[in-house]
Amino acid sequence: MAEDIHNMAEDIHNMAEDIHNMAKDIHAAENIHVGRLAALREEMKKVGIDAYMIPTADFHCSEYVAPCFKAREYFSGFTGSAGILIVMQDRADLWADGRYFIQAAKEIEGSGITLERIGEPGVPTREQFLKDHLRAGQTFGCDGRCITKAEGAHLAKVLGQRGIKMNTAYDLPGLVWKDRPELPSNPIWILDEKYAGESAESKLARLRKVMKEQDASCYVSSKLDEIMWLFNIRGGDVEANPVALSYALVTEDAQYLFVQDSEITDEFRAYADKIHLSVGRYQDFFDFLKTFEFKGNILYDPNFLSCQVYQTIRDSLEAAGKRAEDCVVEMNSPLDYMKAIRNETEIRNFKDIYIEDSAVLTKFIYWLKKNVGKIPMTEGSAAAYLDHLRAKVRDYIELSFGTISAYGSNAAMMHYEPGEDGGAELKPEGMLLVDSGGHYLRGTTDVTRTMSLGPVTQDMRRSYSLTANSNFQLQDVVFLKGSCGMTLDICAREPMWRNLMDYKCGTGHGVGNILNVHEGPQSIRYHQRDAADLTPFAPGMTISDEPGVYKAGEYGIRIENILLCVDRGTTTDGTFYGFTPLTFAPLDRDLLDVSVLTPKVRELINTYHAQVLEKIGPFMNEEELAWLKNECAPL
Amino acid sequence: MAEDIHNMAEDIHNMAEDIHNMAKDIHAAENIHVGRLAALREEMKKVGIDAYMIPTADFHCSEYVAPCFKAREYFSGFTGSAGILIVMQDRADLWADGRYFIQAAKEIEGSGITLERIGEPGVPTREQFLKDHLRAGQTFGCDGRCITKAEGAHLAKVLGQRGIKMNTAYDLPGLVWKDRPELPSNPIWILDEKYAGESAESKLARLRKVMKEQDASCYVSSKLDEIMWLFNIRGGDVEANPVALSYALVTEDAQYLFVQDSEITDEFRAYADKIHLSVGRYQDFFDFLKTFEFKGNILYDPNFLSCQVYQTIRDSLEAAGKRAEDCVVEMNSPLDYMKAIRNETEIRNFKDIYIEDSAVLTKFIYWLKKNVGKIPMTEGSAAAYLDHLRAKVRDYIELSFGTISAYGSNAAMMHYEPGEDGGAELKPEGMLLVDSGGHYLRGTTDVTRTMSLGPVTQDMRRSYSLTANSNFQLQDVVFLKGSCGMTLDICAREPMWRNLMDYKCGTGHGVGNILNVHEGPQSIRYHQRDAADLTPFAPGMTISDEPGVYKAGEYGIRIENILLCVDRGTTTDGTFYGFTPLTFAPLDRDLLDVSVLTPKVRELINTYHAQVLEKIGPFMNEEELAWLKNECAPL
């Protein structure tokens, strides 16, 4: 009898499991990504590729890419700005970083894809994963235009040592993705020297000086922002990133640019003639390389140049009887470094535009706090209001990235953006995180403030105050020339780490001048992610300072100022640098707990608030000013 | 008339200049290094080498080397532990780091050698120097046994791109240095497992696991301390570094050690048999490589393996029809990393011996303060007294480095050692810096204290207190797993940098277990010096914490504790580590200015002093204890 009941229970249990599995299958079958992955797997079989990698990249290893390059999103559903998909016949895995753990898990649900949380215990690196899941004789594949030379060479070597082959010849997503958008094509425009602060001729001369130092007679680049910077031009091929799809090659006495014919205006043509720039067609670049006579050594950044550009140059050299290893000079991009250091014109313009941009944000904060709970408001409508204010600023071009407006637990997803339905409704309680910025002719802004909309918990106040400690400790640091972001990061993280807390993202990134809002080579993080992370700070560099606290399912806090690196003086012991803020928007008084702030940070916030009042006060109306005075009163 | 006087004055001026130059020439002619360099230059001419480099290295890229390897000192007079000499026909240049700026300038005086102060503005790197001073077709040379594979490959590439040749075949110093000492040869001894804490078999198994992960079937090492660690053996071939000159090769199923016949004892022979260690002759290693059949990939650390070992392997592979690039796996040494993490036995022993060693140092401090000005005392005699106390400790083997005892302005030279005349006389005023340590069977110590011997200036007290802030801020840090020394260094430097001060050396180095007192891979410095500097900390690692203030011509201050990395807990945000001190010796109360200490550091020092009293109090006699109680009373 007991046994019968036991067996019956087991049957019921098994039936429940079957139903559960059926439900899962039905759910999976409904998921469009399952079908897309199946189609990709068919293509993989045809060309004998056992694991195919789809990074988040265009042909220029850009961070943000045009819609036609969003193959990773097409196949996985994950919409984040970074992440890599590897598809095999029996599985598919998506690597995402800490900013996207929550969002990615949500978006890939039902696709059958496994989320690999980068940096978490037990999560293999892509390299380790490939080594573990491919056997000798099998083939790993990806589109050689979409990975860097460094990555391609590294994978070829480590996989090769296991007898795994590598094939970079195929754009398999292109075969499956029938309604793939066209390559973007928008007119190229000239950035006047009154905004660029330096002529293209002068920049070319500086590049040639580095080429000479490095014994190179040629520099090749497939990196869009540095090409734009070098020639003082801008494009419109990536939303919020005013770049034009392009390749460039600079020799001792000539400069070549390859862009789409459709992007060339008369104005650009005249400008190109003036600066002796030879303009070729974008689609002809690889043919150009095949026949180009490389005379001396070739300089490039292996972490930026695409694998396929390198391979084409290598083949061209070998056809001329040379060994590529003997003729290439690899180094961190000299243009990327030059670009990162603002000249006097840029510094002056940045200082101006940051004050105007901060004033807009401050007006928005006032409007938000005044109206929340009184007029209908969603994450999306609030963002739209801020975007609308920003668009009215003189010299406004476009947003520097989609405004992040995240309420309550949505803010725990660092790069959350409200959907087309407007996202969550804002209520007069808890916190709203808004991370936003604009491109203006006078510079590019990026700022985050987290605002209380009504009653908040003591835990929220503590987390906000710890974040303020982090932010201001970094802002206040003095450091020896030669220090890089890895040297400085702990100044921001120390208040978190001491409480066994951490935020799963870098503390700071460079900010381009009407280019990419995230740009290198400088960064602030505690461990090295790429070669450029060790680039020392130099006066004129801009860097974000954006620590935070993110509690999944609860809330997210971030306070972000952009800082300018400045000289602090030279003694017999060396030359010292520090930072000065460009952003001047008030912190949230209701979220600051002076018992959590360190005495030093409390003093720093008071000084900062006095500057905020002085600098953006003049932009406020009477009502706003009265409020701002109160917000900025000494703590 | 006025013109006559003017001309006369000019004549006199010229005569004075001539006499000055003659004096300089006479001085130069008297300098033995001038003659040695001339002889070296003759040898360079014979073999067609235009610039010859003499690093501070034996055939194992050791930091400290046996007398027969001190060629750099032989030719330059500079006795420091690091520095590189490059000799050309018309000049010779010595590169020295910040620890040695003052000392090196003094020691090379009259040799005609130019001091190149590493890291100072306008000072070229060696690479830049060679590129600037050699023309295409000229030849750069060095002894390939004395540089690493990484350095050799890098120089060959960058010089090659300028058409400069490289020749690593000649030991030119050997041709000039007639009375060069013999290779050292001292018996190898076995480190009992009760001290090593892990068997050689277990270590070999761990190494083979890494080899497998890296797809390698062979590991090659020329690094002495890791070879000693792997096989649980020690030697006596370098003063204060108990290592035996050796090479090692480990395959999937065999292990080979190459040592001098004269070092092999019966005990060692029996032990080698027991652990199935094939022992070859030191001088046969290269022939062994030439004929060894390399089956799979070869793993090594390019920053440790000597250039010549690599070249021999490469030639051997090529003779077998393979391309070296396809068969080598380069990574930071896995043994160096394993060695750096103390096992439980080692941790227990280290904790014990550091207390006994700290007690000895504390007794010395008491003796010093009590007797200075009363009995004759020099830097040397004080050091000898401390060495004598240390030698009486149970398990004492030898000093872990020559005791640094530096009085007054001598202490501004970080690695000053009193000469054979005993050095400066100690007076009851100013400060004495003593940096010392010992090898014991239970571990290796390294500790620095700076003591007031009588009246001191307020500036000295301020500098000492800033140093205490630096030391304790680092000791107190909590950090996320994955952090390395570059992440942490600013915790120590911040108090200095804020005052536009800096010390020209790293903040911390690993401490070997009866091996090299300076060992990697972990280190604490603000910028990257070598690949290993990015090694993350792990519980069980030991690291020195030794900030300081050095004022040329005035004084030098250093406070050095050895810290043990420990686990601080795991939360949803990650795993966190911190440090706990192993050293327990009091700071100098007379040198501490509480108005300079941060409130936090003041509290930390009070806590530390309570631990000092508790841990080393029991080793003090009544008189010493009374004094120590006062020294350790809360500030």
Side-chain angles (χ1 to χ4, degrees), chain B residues 478-523:
Chain B
V478 178
F479 55 94
L480 190 65
K481 180 180 173 177
S483 300
C484 64
M486 270 182 71
T487 320
L488 309 184
D489 191 42
I490 200 170
C491 300
R493 290 192 199 259
E494 187 270 339
M496 302 293 169
W497 286 357
R498 193 160 292 283
N499 291 291
L500 308 195
M501 293 162 66
D502 185 48
Y503 43 93
K504 298 291 161 201
C505 60
T507 300
H509 59 80
V511 178
N513 183 15
I514 328 179
L515 287 169
N516 303 345
V517 73
H518 294 167
E519 73 163 33
Q522 76 276 25
S523 69

Side-chain angles (χ1 to χ4, degrees), chain B residues 41-183:
Chain B
R41 286 178 176 126
E42 285 311 305
E43 297 299 334
M44 287 165 61
K45 275 186 203 163
K46 285 183 202 162
V47 294
I49 287 175
D50 302 285
Y52 191 83
M53 179 172 78
I54 308 177
T56 310
D58 54 16
F59 303 153
H60 308 276
C61 304
S62 304
E63 181 184 4
Y64 295 99
V65 299
C68 64
F69 293 112
K70 294 189 174 175
R72 188 218 61 216
E73 180 179 333
Y74 179 82
F75 286 99
S76 71
F78 172 52
T79 61
S81 69
I84 288 171
L85 181 67
I86 293 181
V87 181
M88 299 185 68
Q89 287 302 329
D90 58 350
R91 63 184 296 162
D93 295 70
L94 175 78
W95 278 258
D97 65 61
R99 296 173 300 176
Y100 291 117
F101 287 171
I102 302 167
Q103 178 183 335
K106 242 185 206 178
E107 292 181 339
I108 64 173
E109 219 169 41
S111 69
I113 297 169
T114 304
L115 178 60
E116 305 286 0
R117 294 173 172 82
I118 294 171
E120 293 291 287
V123 173
T125 60
R126 275 170 295 137
E127 178 188 326
Q128 194 54 52
F129 175 87
L130 291 170
K131 284 163 75 175
D132 289 348
H133 289 83
L134 288 172
R135 294 184 312 275
Q138 288 195 305
T139 300
F140 163 74
C142 63
D143 184 342
R145 296 171 299 180
C146 294
I147 62 169
T148 64
K149 188 269 173 178
E151 188 175 12
H154 180 71
L155 284 175
K157 163 131 184 141
V158 295
L159 297 179
Q161 286 183 325
R162 288 251 167 136
I164 300 162
K165 288 171 282 189
M166 184 159 161
N167 182 335
T168 57
Y170 295 106
D171 168 26
L172 296 186
L175 301 175
V176 175
W177 191 358
K178 298 299 176 197
D179 52 348
R180 186 176 199 161
E182 294 289 306
L183 273 189

Side-chain angles (χ1 to χ4, degrees), chain A residues 92 98 132 147 181 259 353 362-363 387 413 448 514 530 572 613:
Chain A
D132 290 348
I147 61 167
V259 291
I353 199 64
T362 306
K363 283 169 179 285
D387 296 351
M413 294 175 267
T448 309
I514 326 176
D530 56 39
T572 52
L613 191 60

